[in-house]
Each structure stands twice: as C-alpha cells, then as structure tokens.
Amino acid sequence: MAAMDTKPEFPLIISVDDHTVEPADVWQSRLPKKYLDTGPRIVRAPLKEISFLGGRFRPVMGASGEDGPLGDWWLYEGLQRPLTRLDTAVGYSRDEIKLEVITYEQMRPGSYDVPQRLADMDVNHVQSSVCFPSFPRFCGQTFTEAKDHELGLLCVQAYNDWMVEEWCGPDAQGRLIPLTLIPLWDAELAAAEVRRNAARGVRAVAFSEIPPHLGLPSVHSDDWDPFLAACDETGTVIAMHIGSSSRMPSTSKDAPPAVGSTITFANCCFSMVDWLMSGKFERFPNLKVMYAEGQIGWIPYILERADVVWEENRGWGGVADKVHRPPSEIFAEHVYGCFFDDAFGLQNLDAIGLGNVLYETDYPHSDSTWPKSREVGEAQMGHLEPDVVERIVRTNAIELLGLTPEGLWRR
C-alpha cells in the first residue's frame, strides 16, 4: 500500500505589518493636564463631506447638530481627523467597504482591544504581529506637522509608552511586537527615543519612506546620522510603510483611488534606491530597513538597474566615493521587502533573496487577507519547499526582530 502524501502544516504566521486603531484615552490618560485641551482627543460629530482623490484624503467635520453620518473624530491642535471604514475594514465584504466615517462601535473590536486582537489572530493562523499606528499616521507625521513640538514630543513618548506597556504588555503574551515612533523634526531627540525604547526591548522604529515629502532632510544628507547611529548601535530596524511620506503615489489630482492603489509600491521603489545609493549602509553596517506593504515583485528589476547604473555611471553619478559595492550586494545584507499577496514575487525569489522577504496580513485594513491569510499563503507558496515557506513566514522575522525561537517578543 502506497504511503499517504501528507502536506506539512502551514507555519504559524509572524505578520510584520498590521495596524492598531488607538483607543480614545491613549493621550488623554498620559499627557500633562495643561495639554489635555490641545492634545489628541476623541469627539463624536457628523461628517460634512469627504474625498480621496489624487492621493489626498480630505474630510470636513460638520458642526454639532448638523445633518450627516456620525463618526468619531480625533482633534489635535487644529486637526480634525475621523475614523473611517478604511482604517478598519475586516469583517466587511469588499463591496461594503466605502470611504465613510465610523465610530468605535462600528469597527471590529480587535482593531483596538488586545484580547480581541489575539482572538482574531488565532482565527487567522497568526502567532505574532507588528502594528503600525493609525492616528499618528505611519511614522508619526501627525506630530511632526503640529505647531507645538514640545507637545509633539510628549505625544510621541505617550504613544510609545502605550505601545510597549499596554498594547504589547503582559496581556499580549509576547505575541504583539512593539513598533515605536520618533520625533522626526529633531534627529538628536529621535536618537534618544530609539535608545530609550531599545532599553526596554524594542527592536523596530517607524520612519518615512521619503522624508523630503514631509519637509525633512533626505537620507543623502548627514542630518539623520544621530538617529541612524542609534539604530545601528541598538539593532533597531527602520520600518517604512507605504504612505509614510504623507503622499500616496498618484498621477493627477483627479485620479481615482484605484490608480494609487495599483501603484502603492512606487514610493518603496524610490525609497530603496535612495538608501542603496546613499552610502549609509557602509557608514552604519548594522542598519536594517524594511518596506511594509510594498510587495516584492518589483525588486529584481530595480536591483538589476541599480547595479548597471553603479557599474556604468558611477563616475558621474555622484556615488563613487560612498557606494563601494554593487547595490544588489548591499540590498542582500540590509533591506527586507514585505508582502501579503504577490504571486509574481514568489516566483522570482532567487532574484530577490530568500532571506530578504517577510510575510504580512495588513489587519484590519481593506487590503487585509484576514481571515484567510493561511489559505492565501498556501495558494501562493504551494510550489515552494517547506523550509523555504518557514523562512518567509517565520524565520526571517524572528532573526530580523530578535524574537525568541518560538516567535515571541523578548521583553
């Protein structure tokens, strides 16, 4: 009798890109009393109008008593930012996901509640998860754009304290992996915040894919060196999410969201070339960067082109004195691409590098593969050997983020 063909169990997922919707009291319970009226706080108010064209999100809050759908809005200095269905769409069919304001009661509790999040991770075959912010935006741009940077620094620190002590606290059982913010407007303060959090076990920090879009220095300058040195010394991974430059790729002011959604990887592409041609990885040899939600299928051609430019044009290309190896070699040692749905990329793993690929589920966003991330992974990785799947789904993340062999955060 022939032996039965037993397929190995798909590994428990370590997702390097999920999101948290911050509870309403994150800042109100942590800021000094004098800042409670200007710091981030939630109010319930009607929506007057909303649009998302040309990569720009434009909501307008109505006055109390006006007609319009009610939603919960973050207020901060002069900012009015509503919670929307795009912030937390899991549990809704694709046709039900629209650009609309919502309240906390209208979202899946796992978006903001730790025990409920763990339960939703169990449903989705996910063991551990790294979560990017919502209200602060993907690298804390909200606090960078504010007028009062004294308050902004307190807001960054309050968020990080909540992230480490509560979101990733004892109730999370090591399954939620902290990702912290920095005050982007001051590299010395940023370095201090990296070290403060590294001392309590944090190994990942959010950063902008293209800082000049935020009015900040580029990675080609020396301005970021104190921050980069702190990451280099502490083994803190620099995590860049699509949209962390506050400018999603688009082609025109009237391009529908579908255009930008199709080319979301573009900023990651531009950013990766910036880093590879910056010389920073040679100056800070322990630096690691990862691109969340950027997918991976585009990487092989960019590496091929970067190598050609470095070889043929470096004499006049401005990199001969700082980039001393082919960019593809530098990529292999320092850069990680993250994906949740990229069959083409998985067919070209050899050209990317097995050790440079990480898996994600994007919970609770509209693109999320929840609650079928395992099924999606099995379908796309079915042609790969089990040890290869293990690396992509678990081992690379364990090694990059300094997790325990079991895939949990070390406090």
Side-chain angles (χ1 to χ4, degrees), residues 390-411:
E390 182 82 17
R391 279 204 70 82
I392 293 171
V393 175
R394 292 183 56 80
T395 311
N396 288 341
I398 289 172
E399 293 176 355
L400 178 64
L401 298 170
L403 307 180
T404 69
E406 294 75 31
L408 302 175
W409 176 47
R410 306 172 189 266
R411 291 188 63 85

Side-chain angles (χ1 to χ4, degrees), residues 230-248:
C231 293
D232 179 78
E233 293 165 11
T234 60
T236 299
V237 178
I238 297 175
M240 293 172 280
H241 195 284
I242 59 166
S244 56
S245 60
S246 294
R247 190 182 302 180
M248 293 298 287

Side-chain angles (χ1 to χ4, degrees), residues 324-338:
H324 303 112
R325 294 186 296 153
S328 61
E329 291 185 13
I330 298 171
F331 170 90
E333 296 176 7
H334 298 277
V335 183
Y336 296 78
C338 311

Side-chain angles (χ1 to χ4, degrees), residues 2 4 8 19 86 119 121 167 173 183 195 200 233-234 272 348 374:
M4 293 182 62
H19 299 265
L86 300 187
M121 289 163 63
W167 186 251
Q173 305 167 28
R195 292 189 172 96
R200 48 186 179 172
E233 293 165 11
T234 60
M272 190 179 82
N348 293 275
R374 171 172 53 182

Side-chain angles (χ1 to χ4, degrees), residues 99-115:
L99 186 58
E100 60 182 351
V101 298
I102 61 172
T103 65
Y104 279 96
E105 290 81 8
Q106 293 171 304
M107 68 177 72
R108 195 168 182 87
S111 302
Y112 57 86
D113 178 82
V114 171

Side-chain angles (χ1 to χ4, degrees), residues 7 36 49 115 123 162 179 190 317-318 346:
K7 186 178 180 180
L36 295 183
E49 59 183 85
V123 167
W162 169 79
L179 172 73
L346 289 168

Side-chain angles (χ1 to χ4, degrees), residues 49-90:
E49 59 183 85
I50 192 169
S51 66
F52 189 16
L53 290 173
R56 295 288 184 178
F57 176 48
R58 297 179 177 88
V60 179
M61 188 173 80
S64 177
E66 286 187 348
D67 290 336
L70 285 177
D72 285 334
W73 295 69
W74 283 106
L75 304 186
Y76 172 47
E77 291 191 341
L79 177 66
Q80 299 173 343
R81 197 281 194 193
L83 302 180
T84 75
R85 178 57 63 210
L86 300 187
D87 291 321
T88 171
V90 292

